[in-house]
Amino acid sequence: MEIIDFLNLNTFNKSIQEEQVEAGAQLLDINEFKIIYNYMRRYINTYNKFGCEMMISFDIDLVYITQEERETIIKAIGEIIRSSLRKSDVLTNVGNSFVLLLPELTEQDKITVINRIKDRIFETELYNIVTMRVNSQVITPEINFETWIRMAV
């Protein structure tokens, strides 16, 4: 086991850096997501920035489907969403929904992201079996403006 000199900042930084950064957002578990969410809210309030939080929910339009098949579909959708986002974005999976944090995303950028995800789903066989709903709000310092966007895929 390697001993790390935590008093040396360069050594510490190397020990915590990502080894290989994948394209797209980071898919986090809910506890990691909560930490990033709270950090982002503090950052927005402190530096007068903005961002977007978005929930993308999916109804799977199959009557007879096993739990394993449902999980496979949700995992595939999660990968489509993750790869459609920027490296600075994060998301988590909650049931048939994905919650996204998108720092410094404008209203126009938000529409672009939604359309990119929708288009990538259309490129797969999933478009025949899922309906996508999007709920989003712009995060500004101390104020949230809700915006509802509904789409069927």
Side-chain angles (χ1 to χ4, degrees), residues 15-77:
S15 73
I16 64 172
Q17 285 179 351
E18 295 176 285
E19 290 181 19
Q20 185 175 354
V21 180
E22 288 185 51
Q26 292 185 44
L27 179 60
L28 306 174
D29 70 39
I30 192 67
N31 292 321
E32 294 167 328
F33 186 84
K34 286 178 186 177
I35 292 167
I36 300 298
Y37 175 85
N38 288 314
Y39 170 78
M40 186 169 140
R41 296 300 301 235
R42 289 178 187 178
Y43 184 87
I44 285 169
N45 286 326
T46 301
Y47 297 105
N48 200 29
K49 297 290 185 178
F50 60 94
C52 177
E53 57 187 328
M54 187 181 298
M55 178 176 278
I56 303 177
S57 301
F58 294 90
D59 293 327
I60 300 173
D61 303 327
L62 295 174
V63 178
Y64 301 106
I65 184 173
T66 67
Q67 184 61 30
E68 185 177 324
E69 291 168 327
R70 179 176 302 280
E71 289 172 5
T72 299
I73 291 168
I74 293 299
K75 186 175 181 176
I77 291 169

Side-chain angles (χ1 to χ4, degrees), residues 40 49-54 86 89 102-114 136-140 147 149:
M40 186 169 140
K49 297 290 185 178
F50 60 94
C52 177
E53 57 187 328
M54 187 181 298
R86 305 169 296 182
D89 302 330
L102 311 162
E104 299 191 29
L105 194 78
T106 66
E107 194 70 29
Q108 182 57 46
D109 293 337
K110 180 171 63 170
I111 293 167
T112 300
V113 167
I114 293 167
S136 65
Q137 61 185 11
V138 175
I139 307 169
T140 60
T147 317
I149 299 175

